[in-house]
Amino acid sequence: MTAIEPGRVVAVVGTGTMGQGIAQVALVAGHPVRLYDAVPGRAEQAATTLAGRLDRLVEKGRLDAAARDAACSRLHPARDLTELADAALVVEAVLEELSVKRDLFAALEDIVADDCLLATNTSSLSVTAVAGALRHPGRFVGLHFFNPAPLLPLVEVVSGFATDETAAERAHATALAWGKTPVRCADTPGFIVNRVARPFYAEALRVYEERAADPATIDAVLRECGGFRMGPFELTDLIGQDVNEAVTRSVWESVFQDPKFTPSLAQRRLVESGRLGRKSGRGWYAYGEDAPGAAAHTAEPEKAPASITVRGELLAADSLPALIEEAGIVVTREDDAVPGYPGWIELSDGTRLFLADGSAADDAGMPVIHFDLALDYRDATRIALAPAAGVAGTALKEAIGLFQALGKDVSVISDIPGLIVARTVAMLVDFALDAAARQVAAPEDIDLAMRLGVNYPCGPLDWGDRLGARWALDTLEALHEEYPTGRYAPSQALRRLAAAQEDDAS
């Protein structure tokens, strides 16, 4: 199926930030664009703003003056929906209310031609439900752009229950022709990104609610240890706490209040207090010229041990012994760990350092310090440690000094199962596997969407392959034992993959 030809009209209904962004993408791709907004005068204002955006692209050398002039000549504000009659594609970016969207498309169906493609940019509503009142729902699709639309490449092309395959293919081809990276997905709550990404926010909020660490420390660990571009607290401040909380609540309600998607009371209270993030001047952090910065908890410098013992296999942390040796610390390797169980790093007094496994350090019944998972221990610049209550102060200082000798900042947090990165990644892997098993999208599209849509350092399915399904399963089973609410119950997809990988290895 071919893309909509550049000379054909694209109409955008709704002229907020997202609507303007989509209009700019279509304009630069060569389409005549008609802007409509139900509020009188807004379409004209949006056209003026868009012309200014194109001027800035010329100033930055990203667009030549002739192309800018041609684009501006193709941009027309519309005062009435009937002016969209010759559109080949209408994209809606209005208020996220089902009744508003349904009424709009019912009106459009009486105006546009039968071959006009109708699309909603909804991020949380059901595409099927929006199209439910249409006489011809087969031509209706979701085209979910990410903000800012001109810059972010990802577009989720969502097929509703009644969407014709030809309509989905045409929408996909058009997004591709516009220079975007489209991914196909089914109409399930949250589509790909907003479904799979929920644990990134939810687990950080859970760690905060249990007072294991403050927002700045959680953000720093996920950035500097996990490799994420932004931490969840700073990211939701950027998105808007009200927007992020509304999406979380919408997905949770759409999946019949599945405990895996349970919203956060702490975030609800933040929204109720009007602390919506950057746009209100305060969210998890304060903003403005005089706003105090929030610093992550970082341990004071400590002396590194002269030697350590590595017992058994460190599995996902198996790069650590070489790094420790490079730092000039003597490493003795012993193979006397329990077969089938993770190994550990042992300090001189017998304190054991284990990679976070979903259990609490206190559960071990011995002096244990858990250290967090890193995407790459060589590149990581921070590590989180969680000591059991019985760990001696001298041993904790020695553990801090050990990781500081590797060039890492160290954040000591309370003993919480799964620490920060490990529990987050295990849940992301599980959510991605579950989405693939339910045919929300193809596995490669899930990973691509998470990398491009929310800038994850790698796709969760790829991450799961690196760590092994058994690691994710063991971590979640341990978390499920600690929190028997169903939130951490491993999916059947993860259980089956772990079993298959073990069969292949035997």
Side-chain angles (χ1 to χ4, degrees):
M1 177 61 65
T2 58
I4 294 171
E5 297 82 358
R8 299 196 65 187
V9 172
V10 171
V12 178
V13 179
T15 58
T17 301
M18 185 57 76
Q20 290 181 32
I22 296 170
Q24 180 178 328
V25 172
L27 266 179
V28 173
H31 293 274
V33 172
R34 298 221 171 90
L35 289 173
Y36 175 79
D37 198 291
V39 179
R42 285 224 179 135
E44 290 80 4
Q45 292 173 6
T48 300
T49 301
L50 269 173
R53 287 184 179 180
L54 296 176
D55 287 341
R56 287 191 291 276
L57 290 178
V58 172
E59 293 170 3
K60 295 177 180 179
R62 298 176 183 172
L63 189 71
D64 62 51
R68 182 267 320 275
D69 294 342
C72 287
S73 71
R74 296 193 302 270
L75 179 61
H76 303 286
R79 296 185 178 180
D80 192 271
L81 276 179
T82 56
E83 296 178 50
L84 312 184
D86 59 345
L89 166 65
V90 181
V91 183
E92 162 275 315
V94 302
L95 193 66
E96 282 286 274
E97 289 187 9
L98 180 59
S99 61
V100 173
K101 294 180 187 291
R102 291 182 68 152
D103 290 347
L104 168 65
F105 283 109
L108 282 168
E109 195 172 33
D110 292 331
I111 295 170
V112 299
D114 289 344
D115 64 347
C116 177
L117 192 64
L118 300 178
T120 175
N121 184 58
T122 185
S123 61
S124 59
L125 297 177
S126 163
V127 170
T128 302
V130 176
L134 296 180
R135 296 190 303 275
H136 305 291
R139 59 167 162 175
F140 192 87
V141 299
L143 276 179
H144 181 215
F145 289 77
F146 288 75
N147 194 28
L151 296 180
L152 293 186
L154 184 69
V155 177
E156 292 177 321
V157 180
V158 187
S159 292
F161 188 79
T163 300
D164 290 337
E165 180 63 21
T166 54
E169 289 178 358
R170 191 164 178 79
H172 185 279
T174 299
L176 191 63
W178 290 1
K180 295 300 180 182
T181 304
V183 292
R184 295 279 301 272
C185 63
D187 182 23
T188 56
F191 311 141
I192 301 173
V193 173
N194 279 329
R195 179 191 183 97
V196 177
R198 287 353 293 162
F200 182 67
Y201 312 111
E203 292 312 303
L205 288 161
R206 185 66 176 260
V207 172
Y208 167 76
E209 287 173 338
E210 294 192 24
R211 297 300 187 262
D214 60 274
T217 300
I218 296 168
D219 276 352
V221 171
L222 281 162
R223 283 195 318 269
E224 300 165 30
C225 183
F228 292 92
R229 185 74 60 87
M230 296 180 73
F233 293 98
E234 58 186 339
L235 180 55
T236 52
D237 266 1
L238 178 64
I239 295 168
Q241 296 299 331
D242 52 339
V243 174
N244 183 262
E245 200 269 346
V247 171
T248 299
R249 186 167 295 276
S250 174
V251 173
W252 175 64
E253 290 172 350
S254 297
V255 295
F256 308 104
Q257 301 185 357
D258 185 330
K260 288 178 176 288
F261 295 89
T262 302
S264 161
L265 179 60
Q267 189 178 36
R268 174 98 293 258
R269 292 291 181 259
L270 198 71
V271 172
E272 290 172 342
S273 71
R275 298 184 176 188
L276 306 182
R278 289 181 178 271
K279 62 186 176 183
S280 69
R282 179 150 192 176
W284 293 110
Y285 304 110
Y287 299 92
E289 293 182 4
D290 300 326
H297 171 76
T298 303
E300 293 295 323
E302 300 292 350
K303 184 178 179 181
S307 64
I308 57 97
T309 301
V310 175
R311 298 190 181 275
E313 299 295 328
L314 298 184
L315 304 179
D318 61 1
S319 63
L320 278 177
L323 297 178
I324 294 170
E325 287 180 321
E326 289 174 16
I329 298 169
V330 176
V331 175
T332 302
R333 290 176 171 82
E334 300 287 352
D335 293 328
D336 56 353
V338 179
Y341 286 84
W344 63 88
I345 297 170
E346 192 167 307
L347 302 179
S348 57
D349 72 343
T351 298
R352 298 179 178 186
L353 278 60
F354 282 94
L355 175 63
D357 63 358
S359 65
D362 275 337
D363 292 346
M366 64 181 73
V368 164
I369 300 172
H370 279 153
F371 61 91
D372 213 344
L373 175 71
L375 174 64
D376 185 320
Y377 282 99
R378 182 175 293 277
D379 292 340
T381 58
R382 182 179 296 272
I383 200 77
L385 302 180
V391 170
T394 53
L396 178 58
K397 289 181 179 181
E398 196 170 313
I400 293 170
L402 172 64
F403 284 98
Q404 288 174 339
L406 308 186
K408 321 297 183 192
D409 287 327
V410 176
S411 293
V412 179
I413 69 172
S414 298
D415 179 22
I416 187 167
L419 275 74
I420 299 172
V421 180
R423 67 193 293 161
T424 300
V425 171
M427 287 288 277
L428 288 172
V429 170
D430 191 50
F431 271 47
L433 284 168
D434 183 61
R438 294 174 186 270
Q439 298 184 3
V440 171
E444 59 272 18
D445 278 353
I446 292 173
D447 270 1
L448 183 62
M450 300 313 293
R451 287 193 294 103
L452 298 183
V454 277
N455 285 316
Y456 283 6
C458 66
L461 295 173
D462 179 31
W463 214 335
D465 286 342
R466 297 186 195 186
L467 295 168
R470 173 51 60 182
W471 174 85
L473 179 61
D474 288 346
T475 300
L476 290 181
E477 286 183 332
L479 282 163
H480 182 54
E481 186 173 344
E482 297 280 350
Y483 305 100
T485 62
R487 178 188 182 105
Y488 299 103
S491 67
Q492 284 300 310
L494 177 58
R495 292 184 183 279
R496 290 183 181 123
L497 181 60
Q501 289 179 350
E502 288 172 0
D503 287 344
D504 289 342
S506 62

